């Protein structure tokens, strides 16, 4: 008997451990972020995207916005994710981070409410032509005088063609019903005067989506908060997306407007109807989210309603949700999204005519172009600390920049190149104190150049296999920090890829000119190519090219004079006497250096630095 009890206790413990393991595994599976890639890996130009940085930073400098987060999604991958400025400037400054959670304001309409409605449509609980009164019995249709009434339907709410007023008198509603009082607000919406008959004009209305909230809640018997959490956000792994965010998230939530008592709204929705009458759970606003969570949501839409094994919507529902319904073309609205209504300027001028998007009053916007398989998320708490400036133009500018960054024939480099670039992105930003060692495997192989040179602020930006154009393409993140010095060594991989002498020198000229243009205070030290030694037989692509290296170096020295930069001639320090070959004792394979070679290189650098 004792043995049986012991065995049972062992089995119970094993079961608990197994359950804990699967719970942990479940949490990992359902909290996966999008894979991070360099823009070029999904056909975007990282250099061009720097214009977006400049546009956002200019608005921050002018004091128009405190900060922002920009995310660009393509082919189910995060191609660009950056934070700018501050998430808080009052009562104290807090730096913006990419993890910051924002009050989405009216972007809540498509992400939370419309997605829930489309799920109910998928599952047979509703149809678009359902009368609203079928689900909310007290809801009144449009009626003018003695004329026969016209039915207001769910499709009218989704396309903002219901005839309902744009908003409600928050203060008088609170005085009449008390606050919060979602039922009182719904009573007002159900019986208030309609401005027009349905499907006569498009009037953007928060009341439409508050009504849809009550439809969702009536059918599901759950609050909108609970329904979206269990049916959309948790399955997708959108761990920072919710109504009424928990207190533990407050430190990373961007505050919005300063109140009369001197406090700022933080973790409480900015929209008055949503906050005062609906207590933060509202069909028109109230959703809080982050750029990475919204990137998952966009990827789900672009992937036919499925992401990470979770089918949130059917492909047919996604198509219907993002296409203007037949007969509604003049209004420009799909089922929750905006394609070409007067409010669609966030879509910009260069994306396809299938582009859909939405904006939020606080400064947020989501733009998706299914034709380009592209999503743009721009999150700004523009109403912080005061509601003074519009972001309408800025949103359009950012969409145009991202659209223009799409390359027809992008240059693609090795996986290792992008791996190293990802590593660089995780490192602290380059500053004006830094010396940057810029090059290929020879530079990367030097390891800790700061230790070698006996100096602080030395950064190794070498990448194995990199070419001159690869260096040109990755200059952006280096030059924005305006380093004190760049020590450049590049070209030997171009030689191995059969590039001509003139093209190699011209590419290096382009690198130098870009440095001088974007960071004119940066000192440039151009280093000549090191010799190679073909006797090892290691690199067949370098066969017969020993004498090409000094010819390139001759042009590089001339280039340094023309561009008025310094040149460190390394070649003579490494070559054999009476030969253009690398001294065999300095190389392991005819190309790369042994430690003795790095000592020679370091000594030469110390003299010039």
């Amino acid at each position: 008997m004792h043995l049986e009890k012991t065995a049972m206790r062992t089995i119970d413990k094993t079961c608990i451990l197994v359950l804990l393991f699967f719970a942990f595994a479940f949490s990992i599976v359902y909290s996966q972020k999008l894979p991070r890639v360099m823009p070029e890996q999904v056909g975007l130009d990282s250099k061009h995207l720097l214009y977006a940085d400049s546009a956002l930073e200019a608005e921050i400098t002018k004091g128009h916005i405190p900060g922002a987060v920009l995310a660009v999604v393509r082919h189910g991958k995060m191609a660009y994710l950056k934070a700018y400025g501050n998430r808080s400037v009052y009562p104290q400054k807090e730096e913006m981070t990419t993890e910051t959670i924002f009050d989405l304001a009216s972007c809540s309409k498509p992400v939370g409410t419309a997605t829930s409605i489309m799920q109910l449509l998928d599952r047979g609980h509703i149809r678009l032509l359902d009368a609203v009164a079928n689900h909310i019995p007290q809801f009144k249709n449009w009626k003018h005088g003695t004329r026969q009434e016209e039915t207001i339907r769910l499709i009218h709410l989704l396309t903002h063609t219901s005839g309902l007023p744009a908003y409600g008198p928050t203060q008088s509603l609170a005085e009449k019903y008390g606050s919060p009082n979602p039922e009182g607000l719904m009573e007002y919406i159900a019986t208030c005067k309609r401005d027009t008959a349905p499907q006569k004009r498009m009037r953007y209305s928060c009341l439409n989506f508050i009504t849809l909230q009550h439809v969702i809640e009536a059918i599901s018997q759950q609050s909108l908060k609970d329904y979206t959490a269990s049916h959309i956000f948790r399955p997708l792994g959108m761990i920072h997306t919710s109504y009424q965010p928990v207190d533990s998230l407050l430190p990373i939530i961007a505050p919005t407007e300063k109140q009369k008592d001197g406090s700022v709204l933080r973790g409480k929705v900015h929209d008055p109807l949503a906050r005062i009458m609906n207590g933060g759970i509202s069909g028109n606003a109230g959703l809080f989210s982050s750029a990475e969570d919204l990137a998952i949501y966009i990827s789900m839409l672009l992937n036919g309603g499925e992401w990470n094994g979770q089918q949130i919507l059917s492909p047919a529902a996604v198509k219907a949700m993002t296409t203007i319904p037949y007969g509604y073309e003049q209004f420009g609205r799909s089922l929750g999204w905006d394609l070409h209504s007067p409010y669609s300027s966030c879509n910009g001028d260069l994306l396809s005519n299938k582009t859909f998007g939405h904006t939020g009053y606080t400064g947020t916007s989501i733009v998706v172009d299914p034709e380009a398989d592209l999503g743009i998320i721009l999150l700004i708490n523009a109403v912080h600390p005061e509601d003074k400036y519009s972001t309408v133009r800025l949103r359009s500018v950012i969409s145009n920049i991202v659209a223009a960054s799409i390359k027809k024939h992008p240059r693609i480099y090795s996986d290792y190149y992008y791996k190293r670039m990802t590593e660089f992105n995780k490192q602290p930003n380059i500053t004006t104190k830094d010396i940057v060692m810029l090059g290929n495997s020879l530079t990367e192989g030097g390891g800790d150049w700061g230790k070698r040179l006996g100096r602080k602020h030395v950064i190794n930006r070498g990448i194995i296999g990199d070419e001159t154009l690869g260096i040109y393409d990755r200059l952006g993140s280096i030059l924005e920090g305006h380093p004190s010095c760049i020590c450049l060594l590049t070209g030997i991989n171009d030689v191995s890829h059969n590039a001509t002498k003139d093209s190699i020198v011209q590419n290096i000229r382009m690198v130098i000119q870009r440095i001088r243009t974007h960071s004119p205070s940066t000192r440039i030290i151009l280093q000549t190519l090191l010799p190679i030694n073909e006797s090892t037989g290691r690199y067949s692509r370098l066969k017969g090219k020993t004498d090409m290296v000094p010819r390139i170096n001759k042009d590089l020295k001339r280039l340094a004079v023309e561009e008025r930069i310094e040149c460190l001639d390394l070649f003579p320090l490494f070559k054999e006497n009476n030969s253009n070959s690398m001294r065999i004792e300095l190389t392991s394979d005819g190309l790369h250096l042994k430690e003795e070679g790095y000592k020679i290189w370091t000594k030469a650098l110390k003299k010039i630095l």
Side-chain angles (χ1 to χ4, degrees):
M1 189 69 176
H2 175 72
L3 290 174
E4 289 178 359
K5 287 181 178 179
T6 301
M8 288 301 293
R9 281 196 296 268
T10 302
I11 291 170
D12 288 344
K13 288 179 180 178
T14 303
C15 289
I16 290 170
L17 289 172
V18 170
L19 288 171
L20 287 172
F21 170 79
F22 280 111
F24 177 71
F26 182 88
S27 69
I28 290 177
V29 168
Y30 291 104
S31 62
Q32 288 181 342
K33 299 175 181 178
L34 294 192
R36 292 287 302 275
V37 297
M38 293 296 296
E40 281 73 15
Q41 288 177 278
V42 289
L44 303 178
D45 184 348
S46 59
K47 298 189 300 297
H48 195 88
L49 289 171
L50 294 176
Y51 289 117
D53 295 1
S54 299
L56 290 165
E57 287 161 358
E59 290 297 289
I60 293 167
T61 301
K62 293 174 186 175
H64 292 175
I65 60 174
V69 173
L70 172 63
V72 180
V73 180
R74 197 169 197 219
H75 305 330
K77 297 177 173 65
M78 182 71 82
Y80 207 68
L81 178 63
K82 282 194 177 182
Y84 311 83
N86 298 293
R87 68 167 157 237
S88 173
V89 295
Y90 173 88
Q92 64 276 327
K93 280 192 175 182
E94 299 172 24
E95 187 177 0
M96 186 69 79
T97 68
T98 56
E99 293 78 24
T100 299
I101 297 170
F102 289 80
D103 176 348
L104 296 187
S106 284
C107 286
S108 306
K109 290 181 174 74
V111 176
T113 309
T115 306
S116 300
I117 284 289
M118 298 310 291
Q119 273 194 344
L120 297 178
L121 182 70
D122 260 340
R123 297 170 188 183
H125 296 292
I126 61 170
R127 63 175 192 145
L128 294 178
L129 293 180
D130 278 354
V132 177
N134 287 1
H135 304 284
I136 304 174
Q138 72 270 31
F139 190 89
K140 303 300 182 184
N141 291 317
W142 181 84
K143 190 174 182 180
H144 183 69
T146 58
R147 290 177 59 188
Q148 184 177 0
E149 68 180 45
E150 292 189 31
T151 302
I152 300 175
R153 305 181 186 278
L154 297 185
I155 192 171
H156 299 140
L157 300 177
L158 287 161
T159 55
H160 293 285
T161 59
S162 67
L164 285 175
Y167 209 69
T170 308
Q171 193 57 44
S172 61
L173 289 172
E175 291 170 0
K176 179 178 180 179
Y177 295 107
S179 66
N181 194 326
E183 292 74 21
L185 176 57
M186 190 62 243
E187 180 182 305
Y188 165 78
I189 297 171
T191 57
C192 70
K193 184 179 183 301
R194 280 65 174 122
D195 292 338
T196 65
Q199 207 176 335
K200 296 300 182 185
R201 61 177 285 197
M202 193 286 290
R203 182 165 191 175
Y204 182 81
S205 169
C206 287
L207 306 189
N208 287 323
F209 276 72
I210 293 172
T211 305
L212 288 168
Q213 170 193 357
H214 283 266
V215 173
I216 295 162
E217 292 177 343
I219 292 171
S220 68
Q221 294 298 295
Q222 289 182 285
S223 70
L224 181 63
K225 174 182 178 179
D226 291 340
Y227 181 88
T228 53
S230 59
H231 291 82
I232 303 169
F233 306 138
R234 278 205 299 267
L236 285 174
M238 296 169 66
I239 58 175
H240 288 145
T241 304
S242 69
Y243 300 87
Q244 298 176 321
V246 295
D247 289 345
S248 61
L249 293 177
L250 287 179
I252 60 171
I253 293 177
T256 54
E257 195 168 2
K258 180 181 176 182
Q259 302 298 290
K260 290 180 180 179
D261 63 1
S263 65
V264 291
L265 293 173
R266 190 166 201 163
K268 292 184 179 179
V269 59
H270 179 265
D271 180 85
L273 273 181
R275 183 177 73 256
I276 296 170
M277 293 306 297
N278 272 347
I281 306 173
S282 196
N284 70 311
L287 199 58
F288 287 76
S289 189
S290 66
E292 290 196 272
D293 273 13
L294 292 173
I296 293 171
Y297 174 83
I298 285 175
S299 297
M300 176 272 293
L301 291 180
L302 290 172
N303 194 46
E306 185 270 335
W307 188 256
N308 199 25
Q310 299 297 304
Q311 192 76 46
I312 302 301
L313 296 173
S314 69
V318 172
K319 184 178 180 180
M321 186 186 188
T322 57
T323 306
I324 299 174
Y326 177 75
Y328 290 77
E329 292 83 2
Q330 62 180 311
F331 306 118
R333 308 287 306 207
S334 69
L335 306 178
W337 294 99
D338 193 349
L339 277 81
H340 53 77
S341 87
Y343 299 90
S344 66
S345 64
C346 65
N347 295 355
D349 311 297
L350 302 177
L351 295 169
S352 79
N353 60 7
K354 294 181 180 178
T355 299
F356 57 90
H358 213 287
T359 62
Y361 185 85
T362 52
T364 58
S365 62
I366 301 169
V367 175
V368 183
D369 184 353
E371 192 169 280
D373 196 15
L374 176 77
I376 306 165
I377 300 157
L378 181 60
L379 302 179
I380 307 173
N381 54 334
V383 297
H384 174 73
E386 296 177 329
D387 182 5
K388 293 169 62 178
Y389 297 100
S390 169
T391 57
V392 171
R393 182 181 183 279
L394 179 60
R395 291 161 170 159
S396 182
V397 165
I398 297 301
S399 289
N400 286 343
I401 291 168
V402 174
S405 77
I406 299 173
K407 303 175 74 171
K408 188 173 182 181
H409 301 294
R411 287 197 290 267
I412 301 296
Y413 301 108
S414 68
D415 289 342
Y416 185 76
Y417 177 97
Y418 296 112
K419 178 184 176 183
R420 283 284 283 170
M421 289 298 291
T422 302
E423 291 172 358
F424 296 155
N425 288 337
K426 293 177 182 177
Q427 295 172 3
N429 292 335
I430 289 172
T431 71
T432 55
K433 296 179 180 179
D434 293 321
I435 296 171
V436 178
M437 300 295 296
L438 183 58
N440 48 43
S441 57
L442 290 166
T443 300
E444 183 180 348
D448 187 346
W449 280 99
K451 185 176 179 180
R452 289 187 181 281
L453 295 169
R455 302 175 69 115
K456 294 182 179 179
H457 308 296
V458 181
I459 295 175
N460 189 337
R461 285 294 174 94
I463 297 181
I464 293 171
D466 203 5
E467 303 170 334
T468 52
L469 289 178
I471 285 176
Y472 181 86
D473 282 342
R474 62 187 174 95
L475 277 174
S477 60
I478 296 171
L479 299 183
E480 65 185 13
H482 304 290
S484 66
C485 180
I486 292 177
C487 300
L488 176 65
L489 176 62
T490 184
I492 197 63
N493 288 318
D494 299 71
V495 172
S496 72
H497 295 157
N498 297 319
T500 65
K501 173 178 70 72
D502 290 346
S503 68
I504 294 170
V505 174
Q506 178 57 29
N507 288 347
I508 294 174
R509 184 189 297 274
M510 287 170 51
V511 170
I512 292 167
Q513 290 179 344
R514 187 175 179 196
I515 296 171
R516 297 188 72 178
T517 299
H518 294 281
S519 187
S521 61
T522 298
R523 177 186 179 190
I524 305 172
I525 299 176
L526 177 61
Q527 302 167 103
T528 59
L529 275 60
L530 303 186
I532 59 174
N533 192 311
E534 296 183 45
S535 67
T536 64
R538 176 68 177 80
Y539 296 101
S540 59
R541 289 186 173 184
L542 289 173
K543 187 176 180 180
K545 296 176 179 176
T546 295
D547 293 331
M548 182 179 179
V549 175
R551 293 200 297 270
I552 293 172
N553 286 338
K554 182 180 179 181
D555 285 359
L556 290 182
K557 286 186 280 187
R558 184 183 301 116
L559 174 62
V561 172
E562 292 171 0
E563 295 293 334
R564 297 181 181 179
I565 62 172
E566 298 168 81
C567 182
L568 177 57
D569 192 5
L570 295 174
F571 183 83
L573 306 178
F574 290 85
K575 79 179 192 70
E576 295 175 343
N577 291 329
N578 304 315
S579 167
N580 286 326
S581 294
M582 169 87 77
R583 287 157 53 190
I584 195 65
E585 72 273 16
L586 299 180
T587 182
S588 56
D589 56 8
L591 175 63
H592 297 101
L593 296 177
K594 293 180 180 179
E595 181 56 30
E596 186 60 33
Y598 280 109
K599 289 180 180 178
I600 294 171
W601 188 356
T602 301
K603 184 178 179 181
L605 273 173
K606 281 183 175 180
K607 288 181 180 179
I608 196 170
L609 287 173

